[in-house]
Amino acid sequence: MNTKANSLNNYIKSLFAENFDPRGVASKNLFFKKQIFLWLDTHGAATIPELSRGLNISVPKVTSLVNELMKDGLIINNGKVESTGGRRAAVYGLAKKICYFIGVDVKRYYINIGLFDLNKNLVKLKEKIPYPLENTQQALSALIQNIKKFIRESGVGSSRILGMGINLSGRVNHFTGYSYSYFHFQEEPLASIIAHETGIKTFLENDSNAMAYGEFAQGAVKDEKHVIFLNLDYGTGTGIIINKKLYYGKSGFSGEFGHIPFFDNNILCGCGKKGCLETEISGMALIRRVKEKIQGGSPSLLTKKVKNLQNLKLEDVVEAALTDDMLVIELLSEMGEKLGKALSVLINLFNPELVILGGKLSETGDYLRLPARSAMNKYSLSLVNNDTQLKLSELGERAGVIGAGLIARNRVISNEY
Ligand SMILES: [Zn+2]
């Protein structure tokens, strides 16, 4: 790391420090600079008079702080606009290439990693890096090696990467940085272990929460404030957004919708209990049903495509639906109806404006959504479900990476949890 990059990094870190003490002239200036920075981040590029009015700081003071921020490299002059009285005024915005953030989305068989600039643009994305997720020390080391490789290949020095978000499925406490379902081998929180290995401040997040946030920030959510995101993948997770904020509960474990006892079916769930919602509404359940049907003699395109049914993956099943495989389409319709009934519970409880179907299974589109919509209307209170749109994910595969990267950015810049 060269000295210039190092001192810039320290400067940016001091600007975004958590325990800010705005006493003394130097730290007061830093405090005002942070206010300008955050104002531009929230409202977009602005002129000096706009900043002065917005922040209630005098024009000469804003001018000198903006000049310093330009010298520091944090903001840039974006050119001029017509201002009041026909005068042209300079507009200032954030310098997007000054620092970066990383989002890592760990799936069951691969990882997606993305690099974001300061303006929330995804500037580099590596998808489907082969990675079998197992709860072992070797799998953890492999995850760290893949992240390091991505950083090396990104060409951005790690000193410029201010934060990294990592999604894992299962129980994750985003605040303490502990993961309980995967890689819980040591006393030290997993987030600190990875931060130590990579040199980048690391934040853990539950995958469904991160995907919900991704859709909220850059996907299917437009102006809605109350949103429920269903992550229909091998398992079934939920991210809940209330009043534009992720709802975590006390320890970050909220939204375990997949493990509510919903069916009296004696089917053992991965969590150890029986009859959980995801035993019949999930990718795993769909794979099980497809296998049962094929073994019972039902015709399907999958018999030709997959030699050994034991190796059947969710991707194969989704692809079969999209190439008009009647067996999979019928099973999706059955599952959609159960899903709609389950959604009626969430709708009656939360009165959301929007429910988003995401995760691999949602790529089957209306084969799942339409029966779900119809059952949702049938089983929930009509006055309540009239408020609720049921949409498909807009970001698809990218929802997790985008959520992870932008959550890390929020936590570094505004210490938002
Ligand atoms: Zn369960």
Side-chain angles (χ1 to χ4, degrees), residues 258-260 269-274 276-279:
H259 299 288
I260 62 166
C269 178
C271 72
K273 299 189 190 299
K274 282 181 180 171
C276 288
L277 184 132
E278 77 173 31
T279 61

Side-chain angles (χ1 to χ4, degrees), residues 34 49 60 82 113 166 170 182 237 269 271 308 360 366:
K34 184 172 180 174
E82 286 297 328
I113 312 183
I166 301 182
Y182 288 97
C269 178
C271 72
N308 181 355
K360 190 73 196 167
D366 279 348

Side-chain angles (χ1 to χ4, degrees), residues 250-388:
K250 182 177 183 293
S251 311
F253 306 152
S254 70
E256 288 295 354
F257 188 53
H259 299 288
I260 62 166
F262 202 71
F263 297 103
D264 199 9
N265 60 10
N266 222 20
I267 300 174
L268 191 65
C269 178
C271 72
K273 299 189 190 299
K274 282 181 180 171
C276 288
L277 184 132
E278 77 173 31
T279 61
E280 295 199 29
I281 306 171
S282 66
M284 266 179 315
L286 183 61
I287 289 173
R288 189 189 65 238
R289 293 286 291 133
V290 168
K291 282 182 190 168
E292 283 168 3
K293 283 282 186 181
I294 290 178
Q295 278 155 357
S298 296
S300 166
L301 301 171
L302 286 165
T303 38
K304 265 194 197 150
K305 207 190 155 227
V306 182
K307 294 272 178 299
N308 181 355
L309 272 186
Q310 293 316 310
N311 299 333
L312 189 63
K313 287 193 176 154
L314 187 52
E315 279 176 272
D316 303 320
V317 180
V318 169
E319 200 190 303
L322 298 178
T323 42
D324 298 331
D325 185 81
M326 280 312 289
L327 172 65
V328 177
I329 291 171
E330 273 163 26
L331 292 174
L332 278 170
S333 170
E334 269 174 31
M335 190 175 284
E337 193 174 334
K338 290 175 188 168
L339 172 64
K341 190 171 181 181
L343 287 178
S344 71
V345 175
L346 293 179
I347 285 162
N348 284 355
L349 272 178
F350 289 99
N351 184 207
E353 295 160 278
L354 173 62
V355 173
I356 303 168
L357 303 182
K360 190 73 196 167
L361 205 47
S362 73
E363 290 175 21
T364 56
D366 279 348
Y367 288 134
L368 189 69
R369 192 186 71 91
L370 291 179
R373 174 81 238 186
S374 142
M376 194 179 103
N377 290 357
K378 183 170 154 193
Y379 291 107
S380 57
L381 300 168
S382 55
L383 200 62
V384 185
N385 73 45
N386 276 344
D387 282 346
T388 309

Side-chain angles (χ1 to χ4, degrees), residues 38-234:
L38 292 176
W39 203 91
L40 293 174
D41 187 38
T42 313
H43 300 89
T47 62
I48 298 271
E50 282 166 349
L51 282 169
S52 165
R53 272 196 306 275
L55 292 165
N56 207 12
I57 309 174
S58 72
V59 167
K61 184 77 187 163
V62 170
T63 310
S64 104
L65 291 167
V66 162
N67 284 335
E68 282 179 37
L69 279 162
M70 290 224 296
K71 225 168 83 194
D72 300 335
L74 271 176
I75 66 175
I76 49 166
N77 186 332
N78 282 348
K80 292 192 168 187
V81 289
E82 286 297 328
S83 164
T84 44
R87 286 176 53 199
R88 288 169 64 77
V91 186
Y92 300 91
L94 299 184
K96 57 187 177 189
K97 288 181 185 165
I98 193 81
C99 57
Y100 296 85
F101 303 89
I102 283 182
V104 182
D105 194 25
V106 182
K107 303 277 192 198
R108 199 177 175 117
Y109 295 107
Y110 56 83
I111 323 171
N112 299 327
I113 312 183
L115 182 76
F116 296 81
D117 67 19
L118 186 55
N119 279 355
K120 307 179 195 174
N121 303 305
L122 182 58
V123 290
K124 186 182 165 70
L125 176 66
K126 230 179 139 185
E127 283 183 300
K128 304 211 169 168
I129 304 166
Y131 174 78
L133 174 61
E134 284 161 5
N135 191 24
T136 60
Q137 187 66 55
Q138 288 88 327
L140 174 58
S141 305
L143 173 65
I144 293 168
Q145 289 315 314
N146 274 300
I147 294 169
K148 284 182 173 173
K149 186 163 180 258
F150 176 87
I151 295 168
R152 276 198 309 275
E153 289 173 1
S154 74
V156 173
S158 61
S159 64
R160 292 219 166 185
I161 301 171
L162 297 195
M164 169 163 66
I166 301 182
N167 303 339
L168 284 170
S169 65
R171 257 60 66 210
V172 170
N173 185 328
H174 69 286
F175 200 77
T176 59
Y178 277 103
S179 158
Y180 296 93
S181 304
Y182 288 97
F183 312 140
H184 188 40
F185 311 127
Q186 292 173 40
E187 263 309 296
E188 200 185 349
L190 180 61
S192 319
I193 294 171
I194 299 176
H196 188 78
E197 289 281 336
T198 57
I200 295 171
K201 199 167 180 183
T202 301
F203 306 90
L204 292 189
E205 188 56 81
N206 167 272
D207 54 355
S208 305
N209 281 344
M211 291 164 89
Y213 190 78
E215 293 288 346
F216 174 77
Q218 295 188 353
V221 181
K222 303 305 167 204
D223 295 315
E224 294 87 359
K225 289 185 198 158
H226 311 295
V227 179
I228 291 176
F229 176 87
L230 267 275
N231 178 15
L232 299 160
D233 216 89
Y234 280 90

